[in-house]
């Protein structure tokens, strides 16, 4: 899946973090979510999974964008 196929719910791409390197939440056409953030090593997830850390403000922005 390419980034262009996702709906970006957070971040305008302007300001402190550039166009594509901020923590962000995206929605797929199927209704699931892709989260972009800093890699976390707080524990080892199962094979094939990863952990990312994102600020609370990013989740709040995603919830507002979805109208929840």
């Amino acid at each position: 899946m390419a980034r262009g196929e996702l709906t970006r719910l957070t971040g305008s791409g302007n300001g402190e973090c550039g166009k594509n390197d901020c923590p962000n939440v995206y929605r797929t056409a199927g209704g699931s979510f892709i989260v972009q953030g800093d890699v976390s090593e707080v524990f080892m997830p199962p094979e094939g999974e990863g952990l990312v850390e994102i600020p609370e403000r990013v989740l709040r922005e995603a919830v507002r964008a979805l109208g929840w």
Side-chain angles (χ1 to χ4, degrees):
M1 176 179 312
R3 185 183 298 222
E5 298 176 67
L6 303 172
T7 300
R8 186 173 177 165
L9 300 176
T10 58
S12 65
N14 299 319
E16 66 188 49
C17 56
K19 186 172 182 182
N20 294 315
D21 62 350
C22 298
N24 279 298
V25 177
Y26 300 86
R27 190 163 197 185
T28 69
S32 61
F33 298 92
I34 304 292
V35 178
Q36 175 184 351
D38 294 326
V39 174
S40 175
E41 296 180 4
V42 67
F43 67 88
M44 293 301 298
E47 178 126 4
E49 295 183 6
L51 302 174
V52 297
E53 183 175 348
I54 60 171
E56 180 179 328
R57 67 177 169 73
V58 173
L59 289 178
R60 289 181 182 274
E61 185 179 351
V63 167
R64 280 193 300 275
L66 291 166
W68 293 353

